Amino acid sequence: PYEAAAEAVWTEGIVATLIPQKEIGFLKVEGYATDVFFHASALQSSEAFASLAVGATVSAVVKSDARRPDRFVAAAVKVLRPPAPYEAAAEAVWTEGIVATLIPQKEIGFLKVEGYATDVFFHASALQSSEAFASLAVGATVSAVVKSDARRPDRFVAAAVK
Protein backbone atom coordinates (compact mmCIF):
# COMPACT_ATOMS: atom_id res chain seq x y z
CA PRO A 1 0.00 0.00 0.00
CA TYR A 2 0.82 3.68 -0.28
CA GLU A 3 1.88 3.92 3.38
CA ALA A 4 4.53 1.20 2.91
CA ALA A 5 6.60 3.65 0.89
CA ALA A 6 6.90 6.13 3.77
CA GLU A 7 10.47 5.05 4.56
CA ALA A 8 11.58 4.59 0.93
CA VAL A 9 13.63 7.01 -1.17
CA TRP A 10 11.42 9.51 -2.95
CA THR A 11 12.36 11.30 -6.17
CA GLU A 12 10.64 14.19 -7.95
CA GLY A 13 9.08 13.99 -11.40
CA ILE A 14 6.57 15.65 -13.70
CA VAL A 15 3.32 14.05 -14.86
CA ALA A 16 3.90 13.60 -18.60
CA THR A 17 0.82 11.58 -19.60
CA LEU A 18 -2.50 10.64 -18.03
CA ILE A 19 -4.92 8.03 -19.36
CA PRO A 20 -7.96 8.45 -17.07
CA GLN A 21 -10.00 5.67 -18.74
CA LYS A 22 -7.33 3.14 -17.72
CA GLU A 23 -6.42 4.92 -14.48
CA ILE A 24 -2.74 5.05 -15.46
CA GLY A 25 -0.12 7.64 -16.22
CA PHE A 26 3.55 8.23 -16.92
CA LEU A 27 6.09 10.45 -15.17
CA LYS A 28 9.18 12.18 -16.54
CA VAL A 29 11.86 11.59 -13.92
CA GLU A 30 15.38 12.92 -14.37
CA GLY A 31 17.91 10.13 -14.74
CA TYR A 32 15.48 7.64 -16.31
CA ALA A 33 15.71 7.01 -20.06
CA THR A 34 12.03 6.07 -20.29
CA ASP A 35 8.93 7.50 -18.69
CA VAL A 36 7.98 5.90 -15.37
CA PHE A 37 4.62 4.11 -15.35
CA PHE A 38 2.14 4.51 -12.50
CA HIS A 39 -1.35 3.23 -11.71
CA ALA A 40 -3.98 5.27 -9.86
CA SER A 41 -3.56 2.92 -6.90
CA ALA A 42 -0.03 4.34 -6.43
CA LEU A 43 -1.62 7.58 -5.21
CA GLN A 44 -2.99 8.14 -1.74
CA SER A 45 -6.61 8.15 -2.94
CA SER A 46 -8.80 7.88 -6.02
CA GLU A 47 -9.58 11.59 -5.57
CA ALA A 48 -5.86 12.35 -5.87
CA PHE A 49 -5.74 10.61 -9.27
CA ALA A 50 -8.94 12.31 -10.45
CA SER A 51 -7.50 15.74 -9.64
CA LEU A 52 -4.05 15.02 -11.11
CA ALA A 53 -3.05 17.06 -14.18
CA VAL A 54 -0.33 16.80 -16.81
CA GLY A 55 2.52 19.05 -15.75
CA ALA A 56 2.01 18.52 -12.02
CA THR A 57 5.15 18.00 -9.96
CA VAL A 58 5.05 14.81 -7.94
CA SER A 59 7.26 12.83 -5.62
CA ALA A 60 7.46 9.10 -6.30
CA VAL A 61 9.11 5.90 -5.16
CA VAL A 62 10.49 4.41 -8.38
CA LYS A 63 11.48 0.76 -8.75
CA SER A 64 12.18 -1.68 -11.59
CA ASP A 65 9.10 -3.24 -13.15
CA ALA A 66 9.07 -6.92 -12.09
CA ARG A 67 7.61 -7.98 -15.45
CA ARG A 68 9.83 -5.77 -17.62
CA PRO A 69 13.21 -5.08 -15.95
CA ASP A 70 14.11 -2.47 -18.60
CA ARG A 71 11.12 -0.37 -17.47
CA PHE A 72 10.28 1.43 -14.24
CA VAL A 73 7.15 1.80 -12.17
CA ALA A 74 6.20 4.25 -9.42
CA ALA A 75 5.20 2.33 -6.30
CA ALA A 76 3.88 5.45 -4.60
CA VAL A 77 3.09 8.94 -5.91
CA LYS A 78 2.49 12.15 -3.92
CA VAL A 79 1.38 15.38 -5.58
CA LEU A 80 3.72 18.21 -4.60
CA ARG A 81 2.52 21.03 -6.88
CA PRO A 82 -0.16 21.36 -9.54
CA PRO A 83 0.94 22.62 -12.96
CA ALA A 84 1.72 26.31 -13.02
CA PRO A 85 -1.59 28.14 -13.30
CA TYR A 86 -2.46 30.01 -16.46
CA GLU A 87 -2.30 33.30 -14.55
CA ALA A 88 1.38 32.72 -13.70
CA ALA A 89 2.22 33.79 -17.25
CA ALA A 90 0.44 37.16 -16.93
CA GLU A 91 3.71 39.09 -16.58
CA ALA A 92 5.64 37.04 -19.16
CA VAL A 93 6.38 38.02 -22.76
CA TRP A 94 3.58 36.98 -25.13
CA THR A 95 4.15 36.26 -28.81
CA GLU A 96 1.70 35.62 -31.65
CA GLY A 97 1.33 32.24 -33.37
CA ILE A 98 -0.98 30.23 -35.63
CA VAL A 99 -2.59 26.94 -34.56
CA ALA A 100 -0.99 24.41 -36.94
CA THR A 101 -2.24 21.10 -35.49
CA LEU A 102 -4.83 20.03 -32.93
CA ILE A 103 -5.14 16.54 -31.45
CA PRO A 104 -8.31 16.79 -29.33
CA GLN A 105 -8.23 13.21 -28.01
CA LYS A 106 -4.82 13.92 -26.44
CA GLU A 107 -5.69 17.54 -25.58
CA ILE A 108 -2.55 18.81 -27.33
CA GLY A 109 -1.66 20.99 -30.27
CA PHE A 110 1.18 22.71 -32.10
CA LEU A 111 1.67 26.35 -33.04
CA LYS A 112 3.62 27.93 -35.89
CA VAL A 113 5.47 30.82 -34.30
CA GLU A 114 7.72 33.11 -36.34
CA GLY A 115 11.36 32.73 -35.37
CA TYR A 116 11.07 29.09 -34.24
CA ALA A 117 12.41 26.36 -36.54
CA THR A 118 9.99 23.75 -35.18
CA ASP A 119 6.33 23.93 -34.23
CA VAL A 120 5.69 24.87 -30.60
CA PHE A 121 3.90 22.20 -28.52
CA PHE A 122 1.06 23.09 -26.16
CA HIS A 123 -1.25 21.15 -23.85
CA ALA A 124 -4.89 22.10 -23.19
CA SER A 125 -3.88 23.05 -19.63
CA ALA A 126 -1.94 26.01 -21.13
CA LEU A 127 -5.29 27.64 -21.95
CA GLN A 128 -7.59 29.39 -19.49
CA SER A 129 -10.22 26.64 -19.71
CA SER A 130 -11.16 23.37 -21.38
CA GLU A 131 -13.81 25.34 -23.31
CA ALA A 132 -11.04 27.53 -24.74
CA PHE A 133 -9.24 24.42 -26.05
CA ALA A 134 -12.47 22.99 -27.49
CA SER A 135 -13.13 26.25 -29.36
CA LEU A 136 -9.67 26.38 -31.00
CA ALA A 137 -9.40 25.70 -34.73
CA VAL A 138 -6.44 25.06 -37.02
CA GLY A 139 -5.45 28.39 -38.55
CA ALA A 140 -6.57 30.46 -35.55
CA THR A 141 -4.24 33.23 -34.39
CA VAL A 142 -3.32 33.02 -30.71
CA SER A 143 -0.92 34.62 -28.25
CA ALA A 144 1.45 32.34 -26.34
CA VAL A 145 4.24 32.39 -23.79
CA VAL A 146 6.92 30.20 -25.38
CA LYS A 147 9.74 28.61 -23.41
CA SER A 148 12.35 25.92 -23.95
CA ASP A 149 11.14 22.38 -23.21
CA ALA A 150 12.89 21.24 -20.02
CA ARG A 151 12.98 17.63 -21.26
CA ARG A 152 14.10 18.43 -24.83
CA PRO A 153 16.05 21.70 -25.00
CA ASP A 154 15.94 21.66 -28.82
CA ARG A 155 12.13 21.92 -28.68
CA PHE A 156 9.75 24.58 -27.38
CA VAL A 157 6.47 24.55 -25.44
CA ALA A 158 3.79 27.15 -24.90
CA ALA A 159 3.40 27.69 -21.17
CA ALA A 160 0.24 29.72 -21.70
CA VAL A 161 -2.02 30.26 -24.71
CA LYS A 162 -4.84 32.78 -25.23
Side-chain angles (χ1 to χ4, degrees), residues 20-69:
Q21 319 78 292
K22 294 185 177 183
E23 295 187 316
I24 64 171
F26 293 90
L27 307 174
K28 278 279 184 213
V29 180
E30 194 171 315
Y32 291 86
T34 61
D35 287 351
V36 175
F37 169 85
F38 72 94
H39 185 268
S41 61
L43 280 98
Q44 208 164 8
S45 67
S46 58
E47 292 81 22
F49 182 80
S51 65
L52 198 55
V54 169
T57 302
V58 298
S59 183
V61 174
V62 178
K63 62 181 186 172
S64 286
D65 187 331
R67 293 175 291 172
R68 296 184 69 186

Side-chain angles (χ1 to χ4, degrees), residues 97-104 107-111 122-124 126-143 161-162:
I98 306 288
V99 177
T101 307
L102 286 172
I103 306 171
E107 296 186 314
I108 63 171
F110 293 88
L111 306 173
F122 72 93
H123 184 268
L127 284 97
Q128 273 182 311
S129 67
S130 56
E131 293 81 21
F133 181 81
S135 69
L136 274 182
V138 171
T141 300
V142 296
S143 290
V161 178
K162 62 179 177 179

